[in-house]
């Protein structure tokens, strides 16, 4: 005979009905509908820690205080960051404009110039107008009479000098009876004369040898003089070219200098003035670019054919960053942070088989556009581009944005390379990511905490109180206005609050994962419109939830039908030794549901300990292993104080073929072992969840609502008997937000939910037998469950000893 647990004790361990679902009353809301609610003024609800950290991080000016927003998806991190940053950015000054200009000293290193916000386009227009004026004035000067008279005078002067020198040579040659003649090829030859006429070949042959020799010597002398005179004439021509070139430069300077004076007076910045002086000097040196339109067009065509930049391109301005349209500092969101999107690039264009570029093809990236303000990035997207992450760190450390083309660095593109001057960086970078990414960067990247010193952590829950009710209602009002949804009644608001508590799994809390809430708002409004009403009420919210579940619960229903028809064997009536119903939560996408599993235990004499069949078949995770080892510790501590534990046992989840992990079934497995050892059957109408420690204390678990509802659904499908129910840890009572049909069944006595703190309390509910307390001798009463277990273990110990004696005797 065994000692039975009283019905009074069993009833005392039941969870009171009012604790199964903490209902929010519509009267908590003063409004009838959300139309009467004041719109939400704050950017986010229930994130005081994050709001304070965000405010600090955005306002501190020192370097390294960039922000990393941490939190699960759906908590409103990105929306809040965008709203808050734009709010602060609007109060900040508009940053400088930037442009790239030609570097006349080092053409491969374009210079960067800065201007007050909104003025770079003015500068660009002035430079373009300057170029047009220069072209007009230079051509006008070179086409003028004054220039042409001066040029003719210079040429005539040098031509006269050359004629005088040449006449002297000719006169001297005539004195020596020679004449000078120019050949068609430009060669000058000496011709001997006789009686003032050229000496023919026959006449020359008739001369005496002495005369021939004399003529040859005179001819050689004249040739030497001609060579010397030719050299002098070349020098004269060179001097003439230099004087004409100087005349051209002076004329060009005269034509353009007055054009630069207004710009030099207007722009007092030293760097801009240096550029303008260099611009003017280069114009004067290259006056031929503008001298004649026809020649200039031919030159441009030749440059195109040769694949070289247009000469006049150097006199343009590449407007790089124009902040004219900004009202405050920029707040840029870069959704695709590739290297070029982040740091800019130098574009190239093909021309007759080659790649060419110039400073006008330098394009900005997100860092340039956000410079002087804020840049928001998704950490996951950034880290998927490792080059972007590494260069971002280097840029933040150096405080300068460099533009470098990666294909050029790797030798993939044969091109004329440019190295633009870096731009000073003044920016606040905001990364948004998950806790896992934050921990990963903290552990693996030594620069991370130096550059991102402000952690803005978003919680998944907030306290459930009247103040948050009102803010929640204001949030619903805002979202309905933005999306054009129907207004929500206060009963609908109460239903939304209950769903929020259900999401977070705590009667005392509300979820801050507003993404799920907005989804429900849209769908509830849809069903209200379908019903032809003007206001969303609690029924439409429940309908939206039911429809969401219906769209996702195909697998849940399939498994439940397999249990109902007996393919998956789960008993919900009767009693069995060493067999119990455990509860697990399955997740498919964003839909979670509970499912009962039959857990069985076999115990026998031996010293192998507890064998986890899932572990032996590699279907068990590390946390599940730990739970089973805790069972061994509990059993040894309770029953092996005066003897070794001669226990061999096997445990398994029947009909499971996928990985099992977690320790929420450890108490369930322990109950099955105790039943097998005591030979006392367990009520199959009761399912169990909860982990256990080595002292036999029941510990809380997750997914308690889904587990209870999953077993209830199976019992309901098979048929409710009034004996069925679930045992949960006492600590999980605060997490109960069960569906109304479960609460109604409990209220009517068709279903039960018990709360336990220890293994003893749980095994008594499952078997109806008193667990038993240790007596003064360290044993347990024979009529208790633990007494039966202890007696079985003693018999197993004796049997094991006899077997060992026989084995020793045979040796």
């Amino acid at each position: 005979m065994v000692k039975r647990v009283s019905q009074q004790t069993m009833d005392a361990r039941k969870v009171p009905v009012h604790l199964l679902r903490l209902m929010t009353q519509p009267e908590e809301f003063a409004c009838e509908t959300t139309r009467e609610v004041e719109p939400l003024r704050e950017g986010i609800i229930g994130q005081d820690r994050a709001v304070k950290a965000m405010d600090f991080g955005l306002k501190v000016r020192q370097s390294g205080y960039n922000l990393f927003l941490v939190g699960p998806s759906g908590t409103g991190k990105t929306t809040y960051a965008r709203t808050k940053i734009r709010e602060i950015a609007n109060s900040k000054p508009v940053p400088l404009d930037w442009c790239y200009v030609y570097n006349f000293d080092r053409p491969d290193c374009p210079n960067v110039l800065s201007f007050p916000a909104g003025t770079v386009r003015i500068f660009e227009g002035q430079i373009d107008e300057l170029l047009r004026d220069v072209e007009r004035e230079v051509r006008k000067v070179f086409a003028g009479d004054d220039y042409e008279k001066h040029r003719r005078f210079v040429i005539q002067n040098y031509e006269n000098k050359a004629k005088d020198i040449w006449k002297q040579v000719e006169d001297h040659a005539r004195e020596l009876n020679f004449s000078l003649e120019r050949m068609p090829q430009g060669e000058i030859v000496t011709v001997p004369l006789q009686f003032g006429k050229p000496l023919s070949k026959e006449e020359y042959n008739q001369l005496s040898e002495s005369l021939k020799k004399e003529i040859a010597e005179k001819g050689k002398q004249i040739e030497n003089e001609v060579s010397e005179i030719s050299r002098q004439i070349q020098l004269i021509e060179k001097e003439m070219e230099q004087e004409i070139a100087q005349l051209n430069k002076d004329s060009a300077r005269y034509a353009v200098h007055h054009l630069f004076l207004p710009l030099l007076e207007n722009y007092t910045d030293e760097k801009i003035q240096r550029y303008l002086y260099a611009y003017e000097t280069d114009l004067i040196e290259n006056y031929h670019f503008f001298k004649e339109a026809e020649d200039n067009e031919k030159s441009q065509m030749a440059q195109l054919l040769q694949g070289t930049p247009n000469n006049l391109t150097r006199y343009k301005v590449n407007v790089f960053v124009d902040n004219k349209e900004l009202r405050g500092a920029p707040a840029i969101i870069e959704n695709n942070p590739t290297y070029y999107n982040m740091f800019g690039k130098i574009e190239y264009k093909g021309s007759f088989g080659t790649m060419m570029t110039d400073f006008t093809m330098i394009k900005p990236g997100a860092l340039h556009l956000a410079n002087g303000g804020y840049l928001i990035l998704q950490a996951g997207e950034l880290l998927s581009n490792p080059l972007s992450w590494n260069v971002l760190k280097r840029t933040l450390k150096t405080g300068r944005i460099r533009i470098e083309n990666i294909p050029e660095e790797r030798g993939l593109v044969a091109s004329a390379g440019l190295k633009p001057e870096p731009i000073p960086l003044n920016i606040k970078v905001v990364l948004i990511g998950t806790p896992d990414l934050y921990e990963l960067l903290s552990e693996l990247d030594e620069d991370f905490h130096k550059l991102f010193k402000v952690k803005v952590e978003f919680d998944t829950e907030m306290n459930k109180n009247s103040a948050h009710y009102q803010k929640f209602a204001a949030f619903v009002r805002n979202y309905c206005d933005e999306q054009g949804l129907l207004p929500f009644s206060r009963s609908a608001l109460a239903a939304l609050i209950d769903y929020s508590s259900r999401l977070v799994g705590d009667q005392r809390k509300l979820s801050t994962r507003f993404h799920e809430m907005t989804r429900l708002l849209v769908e509830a409004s849809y069903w209200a419109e379908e019903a032809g009403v003007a206001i969303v009420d609690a029924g439409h919210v429940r309908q939206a939830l039911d429809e969401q579940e219906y769209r996702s619960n195909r697998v849940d229903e399939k498994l439940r039908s397999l249990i109902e028809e007996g393919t998956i064997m789960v008993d919900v009536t009767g009693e069995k030794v060493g067999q119990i119903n455990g509860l697990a939560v399955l997740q498919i996408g964003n839909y979670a549901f509970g499912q009962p599993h039959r857990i069985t235990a076999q115990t026998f004499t031996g010293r192998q300990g507890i064998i986890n069949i899932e572990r032996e078949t590699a279907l068990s995770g590390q946390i599940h292993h730990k739970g089973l080892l805790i069972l061994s510790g509990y059993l040894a501590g309770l029953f092996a104080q005066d003897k070794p534990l001669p226990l061999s046992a096997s445990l398994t989840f029947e009909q499971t073929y996928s990985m099992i992990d977690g320790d929420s079934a450890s108490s369930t497995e322990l109950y099955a072992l105790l039943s097998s050892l005591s030979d006392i059957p367990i009520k199959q109408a009761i399912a169990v969840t909860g982990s256990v420690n080595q002292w036999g204390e029941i510990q809380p678990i997750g997914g308690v609502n889904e587990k209870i509802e999953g077993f209830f659904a199976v019992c309901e499908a098979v048929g409710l008997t009034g004996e069925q129910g679930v045992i949960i840890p006492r600590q999980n009572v605060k997490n109960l937000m069960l569906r109304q049909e479960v609460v109604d069944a409990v209220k009517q006595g068709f279903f039960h939910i018990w709360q336990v703190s220890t293994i003893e309390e749980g095994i008594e509910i499952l078997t109806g037998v008193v667990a038993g307390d240790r007596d003064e001798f360290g044993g347990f009463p024979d009529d208790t469950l633990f007494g039966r277990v202890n007696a079985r273990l003693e018999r197993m110990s004796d049997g094991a000893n006899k077997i060992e004696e026989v084995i020793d005797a045979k040796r």
Side-chain angles (χ1 to χ4, degrees), residues 618-739:
L619 289 175
S620 177
Q622 296 298 321
I623 299 176
H624 190 218
H625 298 344
K626 178 182 177 182
L628 288 175
L629 293 174
I630 289 173
L631 301 189
S632 300
Y634 171 77
L635 290 172
L638 193 61
F639 299 109
Q641 297 297 319
D642 54 354
K643 59 183 176 298
L645 195 64
L647 175 64
S648 289
S650 64
L651 280 168
T652 188
F653 280 70
E654 303 287 358
Q655 290 183 287
T656 57
Y657 310 101
S658 57
M659 181 66 68
I660 295 173
D661 203 2
D663 63 349
S664 64
S666 58
S667 68
T668 314
E669 292 166 322
L670 182 53
Y671 293 139
L673 280 173
L674 291 172
S675 170
S676 179
L677 286 169
S678 64
D679 201 32
I680 295 176
I682 287 175
K683 300 172 184 177
Q684 300 301 295
I686 302 175
V688 180
T689 185
S691 67
V692 66
N693 63 23
Q694 292 192 103
W695 303 108
E697 297 170 330
I698 303 299
Q699 302 172 140
I701 44 79
V704 65
N705 292 297
E706 289 80 3
K707 290 176 179 179
I708 293 173
E709 291 165 357
F711 189 66
F712 173 79
V714 170
C715 294
E716 187 179 40
V718 174
L720 291 171
T721 64
E723 296 180 353
Q724 295 142 337
V726 176
I727 295 175
I728 65 171
R730 188 179 301 275
Q731 301 94 318
N732 281 122
V733 172
K734 66 180 182 296
N735 304 116
L736 293 176
M737 285 296 294
L738 294 170
R739 294 176 182 170

Side-chain angles (χ1 to χ4, degrees), residues 552-621:
S552 304
N553 71 349
R554 184 185 64 85
V555 175
D556 184 11
E557 288 187 351
K558 286 282 188 183
L559 292 173
R560 197 180 308 150
S561 65
L562 290 174
I563 293 173
E564 185 180 356
E565 68 187 24
T567 302
I568 297 178
M569 293 185 290
V570 174
D571 293 331
V572 296
T573 58
E575 297 181 344
K576 291 285 181 67
V577 173
Q579 178 175 304
I580 192 170
N581 290 323
L583 297 172
V585 174
L586 302 183
Q587 184 87 30
I588 299 178
N590 62 349
Y591 177 69
F593 61 95
Q595 183 189 9
H597 288 277
R598 175 184 288 179
I599 299 174
T600 58
Q602 289 280 14
T603 54
F604 41 89
T605 302
R607 301 191 185 277
Q608 292 178 315
I610 300 174
I611 299 172
N612 175 16
I613 293 177
E614 273 70 34
R615 180 181 64 188
E616 300 301 320
T617 56
L619 289 175
S620 177

